[in-house]
Amino acid sequence: SSGVWPPRSPMRCRRVEDLLPLHVGGDLEPALAAAVAEHLRGCLPCARALRSHQAALAAFRSLRELVPG
């Protein structure tokens, strides 16, 4: 392995699914986030999973706002 990111082969669904929570939270390195975004543009199942993660994060954030800190 050359250590170059993103790899020359397309990112696979399994890897994207593992990275979605970090992607939704904005916690990925820019190159990795770009590779995930590229995959999401061409993969309907992963795009659906992204929307699910986004909805879960939005629900979590709205609950946090209701609980006094």
Side-chain angles (χ1 to χ4, degrees):
S1 171
S2 66
V4 174
W5 189 260
R8 288 187 175 86
S9 62
M11 187 169 278
R12 298 191 185 280
C13 294
R14 180 68 179 244
R15 179 77 173 132
V16 170
E17 290 168 4
D18 290 345
L19 294 172
L20 280 178
L22 295 172
H23 183 69
V24 169
D27 297 320
L28 292 178
E29 298 175 9
L32 188 52
V36 170
E38 181 179 339
H39 177 90
L40 291 168
R41 282 192 291 275
C43 182
L44 185 58
C46 287
R48 286 183 181 139
L50 171 67
R51 287 193 293 277
S52 177
H53 281 277
Q54 289 170 326
L57 182 60
F60 176 74
R61 285 180 174 161
S62 67
L63 286 174
R64 275 189 17 202
E65 292 173 6
L66 296 175
V67 177

